[in-house]
Amino acid sequence: MSAARPARFLLSCSSPPIVLFSAMLLALPVVGLAVGPLYAALVFGLGGLLALYTGLKDRCPPAIDRQFAALALVFVALCWASTLWSVVPATTMRAAGQITLILAGALITLSIPPLETGPGRALIRLMPWFIGAGVALLCLDTCLGYRIQGLAGLDGNKYSRGIDYLVLITWPVLAYTVAQRNWRATIAVAALIIIAVVVGLSTTGAVGLLMGVVLLGLAALLRNATAPCLFTVVAALVAALPFMLRLLSASREELRPYIKPSGLHRLEIWDYTSARILDQPIFGWGLLSAKSVPIRPEELATYRFVDIAGIYPHNQWLELWLETGAVGATLALIFLGLVLWRVWRKLPAETQPFAYAAIGSALTISWLNFEITTDSWWAALTASALLFKLVNALHPHQPDAACESSAS
């Protein structure tokens, strides 16, 4: 697997769309791995510039996806309306503004048309090399005691977020290498992502990767059943989530000998958050109010780790229930259903299992980490979708002759 010809070909293409598109995606597995929060600036910043350039050049507004835009508008309206009943209205208003900008950035970035065949193939063929460079940086910095991240003003191992995001953008790259029957590249990329989650000690990334592998195998065996089965399971879990966590947290004393303190802390968080969900089940307590919902004295008396300050639930679906109620959780399920339907009906058959794997990884991470207003999280989802859009446009089931002839 040689990077020389596609690299030379991209360097010879000096048009702003190719430069911005390539800079955005190739920086993610290196810069984004080392500093995960930079995903937002890279994806939404460069994506916005590219959309602006394309719009001015073609003299037309971005081709925003109408179905996703309508869903985003309804959710944004709910978030702004929640300031009326929020326990922390000023915080909710700032969060509503943030989620508005995030979703607008995602929609605008996804409106970018894919690169032409030659540059697109050259770009996707370079992705494994940049993933390798990012993982090499991770291994080197780990050996140096994270001194490289220290130069960026970060203390300790801050690679976990970047590893979670790397898992998401690796799946479309694997979809392309497998479709091209490039087994050397496939094995290399698979080995690199495993090394990243092991060396980076990312539990969330490892579990997300494992769930992606499970979905990949399921989709390979039962492709047409994967989307409806996955949606049914997730919808059932989300609907039952507050009630399941009430039962689980009530048993934390019995579980105490078997789980570590951080697990007990999580159970205590889920105890009072699930109780507050049942207090305000329809519209919730207001966006980004999780840290400020009331904790009753009788609840605090039974906790060892949670104090009156509160903390976010470490589960985006639970946070949706708590802050936006059943209405917000339902909108999120509609979003998931629309994504699954698009994968099922729009992607080539050989790409679908990898898209389901990416969805499985994203769902797993959403159950374990990040607030719903984390901009870099939405940027990582957008980057993964953008890469799948590129792979789909390249028709990866066809031979890679276009890039070979263009690069030669």
Side-chain angles (χ1 to χ4, degrees):
M1 181 175 58
S2 173
R5 283 189 290 178
R8 286 199 302 269
F9 177 62
L10 277 182
L11 289 173
S12 69
C13 301
S14 57
S15 68
I18 294 176
V19 172
L20 289 172
F21 201 98
S22 301
M24 173 174 57
L25 293 179
L26 294 178
L28 295 178
V30 183
V31 180
L33 175 61
V35 188
L38 280 180
Y39 259 75
L42 290 169
V43 175
F44 297 147
L46 292 178
L49 287 175
L50 180 53
L52 177 62
Y53 174 85
T54 303
L56 292 174
K57 179 175 177 291
D58 298 337
R59 296 183 180 180
C60 63
I64 301 295
D65 187 290
R66 293 184 178 181
Q67 290 179 322
F68 284 122
L71 192 57
L73 281 173
V74 175
F75 183 70
V76 164
L78 172 65
C79 292
W80 281 103
S82 70
T83 60
L84 299 175
W85 56 81
S86 173
V87 291
V88 279
T91 300
T92 296
M93 185 173 293
R94 288 193 298 269
Q98 183 175 351
I99 200 68
T100 301
L101 292 175
I102 289 170
L103 295 181
L107 289 168
I108 290 171
T109 301
L110 287 174
S111 73
I112 300 169
L115 295 179
E116 295 179 357
T117 301
R121 289 191 187 278
L123 172 59
I124 202 70
R125 289 179 64 191
L126 282 174
M127 285 296 294
W129 292 92
F130 279 77
I131 292 173
V135 175
L137 175 63
L138 165 64
C139 294
L140 175 62
D141 203 14
T142 302
C143 294
L144 295 175
Y146 308 109
R147 293 181 182 177
I148 297 175
Q149 280 199 334
L151 296 176
L154 301 174
D155 297 325
N157 179 8
K158 299 295 184 181
Y159 283 93
S160 295
R161 181 178 297 199
I163 292 171
D164 293 348
Y165 299 165
L166 183 64
V167 170
L168 299 181
I169 66 171
T170 295
W171 287 117
V173 177
L174 285 171
Y176 181 81
T177 60
V178 169
Q180 292 297 316
R181 307 297 186 263
N182 189 342
W183 305 122
R184 289 168 56 191
T186 300
I187 293 171
V189 171
L192 286 168
I193 192 61
I194 292 172
I195 291 170
V197 298
V198 171
V199 173
L201 302 175
S202 174
T203 303
T204 302
V207 176
L209 179 61
L210 179 61
M211 184 56 67
V213 173
V214 171
L215 263 293
L216 179 68
L218 178 65
L221 294 174
L222 304 169
R223 184 170 297 155
N224 290 330
T226 302
C229 288
L230 181 58
F231 180 80
T232 301
V233 169
V234 173
L237 287 174
V238 170
L241 185 60
F243 311 99
M244 290 191 306
L245 292 181
R246 291 301 297 154
L247 295 174
L248 182 62
S249 59
S251 305
R252 61 182 182 276
E253 288 300 323
E254 291 81 358
L255 296 172
R256 189 178 300 279
Y258 307 104
I259 58 178
K260 56 186 181 179
S262 61
L264 291 171
H265 187 193
R266 196 69 57 89
L267 287 176
E268 291 178 358
I269 296 169
W270 292 344
D271 179 66
Y272 77 83
T273 53
S274 58
R276 295 299 84 77
I277 288 170
L278 299 180
D279 291 341
Q280 301 273 13
I282 306 301
F283 294 109
W285 293 79
L287 187 65
L288 214 62
S289 63
K291 298 177 183 178
S292 304
V293 295
I295 306 176
R296 295 170 182 164
E298 60 269 23
E299 292 168 336
L300 277 174
T302 65
Y303 299 153
R304 293 191 182 185
F305 303 98
V306 167
D307 56 35
I308 196 65
I311 192 172
Y312 78 98
H314 293 80
N315 182 312
Q316 292 179 30
W317 296 91
L318 185 62
E319 185 184 359
L320 280 167
W321 263 109
L322 180 65
E323 297 178 354
T324 62
V327 176
T330 300
L331 290 173
L333 285 174
I334 294 172
F335 170 71
L336 173 63
L338 182 56
V339 171
L340 287 170
W341 187 87
R342 292 282 185 92
V343 171
W344 189 18
R345 295 301 187 187
K346 303 290 185 180
L347 289 186
E350 55 194 345
T351 306
Q352 287 180 21
F354 296 92
Y356 290 130
I359 293 171
S361 294
L363 284 171
T364 303
I365 295 169
S366 74
W367 280 75
L368 299 174
N369 214 340
F370 304 122
E371 293 178 281
I372 57 177
T373 54
T374 302
D375 53 3
S376 60
W377 164 247
W378 286 97
L381 295 175
T382 302
S384 183
L386 201 61
L387 279 165
F388 272 113
K389 184 177 178 180
L390 174 62
V391 170
N392 187 33
L394 294 176
H395 303 294
H397 54 287
Q398 297 177 355
D400 201 14
C403 184
E404 292 290 347
S405 60
S406 299
S408 61

